[in-house]
Structures are given as C-alpha cells and as structure tokens.
Amino acid sequence: MSRLNIINYPDRRLYTIAKPVAEVDARIRKLVADMAETMYAAPGIGLAATQVDVHEQVIVIDTSETRSDLRVFINPQILKAEGSSVHEEGCLSVPGIYDRITRAERITVSALNTEGETFTLDADDLLAVCIQHEIDHLKGKVFVDYLSPLKQARIKNKLKKHLRETM
Ligand code: ZN
C-alpha cells in the first residue's frame, strides 16, 4: 500500500468528472487499498478517487469511531433520497474549512464492492451525508460550491495564502 497525494481546492482537477469503473480488478483493489490508507492517515472519514487525481468512480468511507468499518463504493448511484438535514462539513481537499450544507437526510445507494458484486445500502445521518459528499466529488463538485460566491472567494484566498506559506 502507498499513501497518495490529495489535491487541494481550488485545483481545477477537482472539477473533473469521473468515469465508471469498467472492471473491478487488481488495479482497482490496489487503488482502494491506497485510498483507504490515505484517508486513515489524513485523518478523514471519506475520500473520493477524484481527490487523488484518479478520475474513476471509487469512494472509500469510514464513519465509525473505531476506524474499523471501511466501506467501499465503486460506481455508486443514489437510487432514492428523502428529507433534508443540515450538517457541518469539511473536506480533506479543503483543509481547515467547515460549513453547514443541506443534503438529503436518508438515501438508498447501490454500488459495486471490491469483488465486483452489486450491493444496495440504506444510509442516514453522517453516513448519508458522507456518501453524498463523496459522490459529488466524482461529479466534479466540491462542498464549497454550495456556499455563497462571497464565501467561496474568501475560502479560495485563504487556501492560496496557506499554499504560499507552506511552500
Ligand atoms: Zn471532500
């Protein structure tokens, strides 16, 4: 396994639309293992392949307190979305920035697992938020895109300044 570099907002590569995975093979399983290692090391609760500059539909998530419940979604599709709830979100690609985002409260998602088998999952609360956030990445969308233009401009300036200071 190896740790991957995470792209930071407002890098244009975060706006790439990911392609479906054609075959769940050893290459994809290695990508999943590397993404999981990268997510745990960060540390974060979710990571989309887009964030490590791989533009295929792969997501890893672990919202458990014990960091022992890795969930993998390949070619995820939201089949059903109900209700709405507001959570404070952050993102490994937008370090230090948190804001309140409205999303569906409950979702039903289908995806492939690392064996290439289809599964369906009902999710609510933090897991539902996290799945929606990560699927957005695969569509080339970052959570700050939901904020006002003024807030987005402030975040861009802050992160550019941060980038200069750490270089
Ligand atoms: Zn994110």
Side-chain angles (χ1 to χ4, degrees):
M1 290 201 295
S2 47
R3 225 176 270 180
L4 306 168
N5 277 331
I6 297 175
I7 302 173
N8 275 359
Y9 180 85
D11 192 308
R12 295 305 304 172
R13 290 173 291 175
L14 286 173
Y15 292 91
T16 311
I17 295 170
K19 290 198 288 268
V21 170
E23 192 191 346
V24 182
D25 54 11
R27 181 182 66 89
I28 294 297
R29 282 188 281 274
K30 166 130 187 13
L31 173 65
V32 166
D34 289 348
M35 284 174 60
E37 188 186 349
T38 305
M39 173 184 75
Y40 286 124
I45 60 171
L47 188 69
T50 308
Q51 294 174 274
V52 294
D53 202 23
V54 175
H55 302 287
E56 294 179 77
Q57 295 176 11
V58 178
I59 288 169
V60 295
I61 289 176
D62 188 345
T63 54
S64 71
E65 301 249 330
T66 50
R67 319 288 284 150
S68 58
D69 185 23
L70 179 67
R71 295 172 186 269
V72 179
F73 301 84
I74 299 167
N75 299 347
Q77 300 270 357
I78 293 177
L79 304 179
K80 204 165 81 179
E82 293 174 329
S84 85
S85 68
V86 180
H87 285 258
E88 189 169 74
E89 294 186 24
C91 178
L92 292 176
S93 292
V94 196
I97 305 292
Y98 301 89
D99 216 317
R100 292 160 66 81
I101 305 292
T102 305
R103 299 199 187 262
E105 191 178 12
R106 289 176 303 281
I107 60 167
T108 302
V109 63
S110 84
L112 302 176
N113 63 19
T114 51
E115 302 304 316
E117 302 155 345
T118 304
F119 67 94
T120 304
L121 175 76
D122 293 315
D124 60 8
D125 201 42
L126 181 60
L127 181 59
V129 168
C130 196
I131 292 169
Q132 291 172 83
H133 175 119
E134 302 307 336
I135 287 179
D136 269 1
H137 277 302
L138 300 179
K139 294 176 176 167
K141 195 164 176 136
V142 183
F143 84 98
V144 295
D145 297 338
Y146 292 107
L147 303 175
S148 70
L150 180 66
K151 274 191 179 174
Q152 289 184 40
R154 278 195 196 138
I155 292 167
K156 275 181 193 157
N157 284 335
K158 193 171 170 186
L159 290 180
K160 279 180 191 157
K161 187 167 174 280
H162 173 77
L163 197 63
R164 278 197 304 272
E165 282 167 358
T166 53
M167 260 161 66

